[in-house]
Amino acid sequence: MSERAYDIDEMSGLDPAAWSAYLARRSGLPGPRANLALVLAAARTAGPDAIRSLLDDGGEYQVMCAAAAAARRAGDPSFEAEARALAADQRWRVREGVAMGLQLWGDDDPAAMIEKVRAWADDPDPLVVRAALAAICEPRLLRTRDAAAVALEICDRATDHVAALPAAERRRPEVRTLRQALGYCWSVAVAADPPSGVEAFTRIDTGDPDLAWIANENRKKKRLSSLL
């Protein structure tokens, strides 16, 4: 899924107004899978004018690329505001673009990215919490114990977010989306630091039916089932 050098070279010379058509031709859509390598290349290459042009276009793939580009630059307050808004977009590909962009930022500046996902984990919008969760629970970012500890922390806080909601609120689509992310993110975080992770995972309150679902979904993952 890594971006290709020739995509970056081509896009670097594009006029901002030409980005939408360029991406549309190479998006892989309509089809079963979007071109994710191109999303990553766009995230690294798109400047402010190109991002704005893609957002103005409004197409799902174009906005996905803009979301990834904005999130990669979320250390800048103006880009962070855009990325945070896009993290709550109703289109799942756009939300995934935000997570991908945050992960690219984490490759380049892990400390700054970690600070941001910690802040987003306190957001009242479950979809923003989901973006923080999905961004940090990426195996390539969890190669140190400190990073793994942050992933476990965000999993725990996101689980608490669900637990604190009354039953009627948990049926909302955005809460279900967060719960689904928790259904696999715990396994990634635990596998990155099994001694601490297993201890944290076993503290999930399985007397709560939604939290029990989260725990059971993670137990199905081979990366976790082999540790338990």
Side-chain angles (χ1 to χ4, degrees):
M1 198 174 70
S2 62
E3 63 271 29
R4 294 171 294 192
Y6 67 82
D7 287 328
I8 291 176
D9 290 343
E10 278 191 88
M11 286 187 287
S12 295
L14 285 177
D15 183 275
W19 275 70
S20 290
Y22 178 91
L23 294 174
R25 288 194 300 270
R26 295 161 175 81
S27 69
L29 302 174
R33 294 184 182 180
N35 184 345
L36 298 184
L38 188 59
V39 176
L40 294 173
R44 291 201 177 277
T45 313
D49 291 340
I51 292 171
R52 178 49 51 194
S53 177
L54 293 172
L55 292 172
D56 289 344
D57 177 278
E60 184 174 15
Y61 187 79
Q62 286 86 345
V63 178
M64 180 185 188
C65 291
R72 195 181 78 82
R73 294 160 175 78
D76 180 315
S78 62
F79 284 118
E80 185 206 356
E82 194 71 71
R84 191 186 285 243
L86 291 166
D89 195 276
Q90 294 306 302
R91 295 166 291 186
W92 71 267
R93 283 195 174 95
V94 174
R95 298 196 299 266
E96 190 60 24
V98 174
M100 291 169 67
L102 290 173
Q103 289 165 357
L104 287 178
W105 185 25
D107 290 331
D108 298 334
D109 192 346
M113 181 268 204
I114 282 171
E115 181 181 356
K116 193 62 60 183
V117 299
R118 277 180 160 148
W120 284 25
D122 288 331
D123 198 277
D125 191 323
L127 292 178
V128 177
V129 178
R130 183 265 171 197
L133 180 70
I136 194 62
C137 290
E138 165 54 47
R140 75 174 190 268
L141 300 179
L142 304 182
R143 292 173 180 161
T144 68
R145 292 195 69 183
D146 287 347
V150 174
L152 289 169
E153 173 195 335
I154 302 301
C155 284
D156 198 37
R157 288 165 64 185
T159 303
D160 287 345
H161 184 106
V162 174
L165 294 171
E169 288 287 300
R170 297 187 193 185
R171 305 283 75 82
R172 290 188 292 137
E174 55 268 36
V175 179
R176 290 200 300 269
T177 297
L178 174 58
R179 190 188 69 167
Q180 287 165 356
L182 283 163
Y184 71 86
C185 283
W186 267 107
S187 68
V188 175
V190 172
D193 184 2
S196 298
V198 169
E199 180 183 355
F201 180 74
T202 55
R203 291 199 300 267
I204 294 175
D205 178 13
T206 54
D208 180 307
D210 287 307
L211 304 195
W213 183 91
I214 290 167
N216 289 335
E217 286 300 300
N218 281 281
R219 289 176 182 277
K220 296 175 186 177
K221 308 297 186 288
K222 288 184 179 180
R223 67 173 73 92
L224 181 56
S225 62
S226 63
L227 298 174
L228 298 176

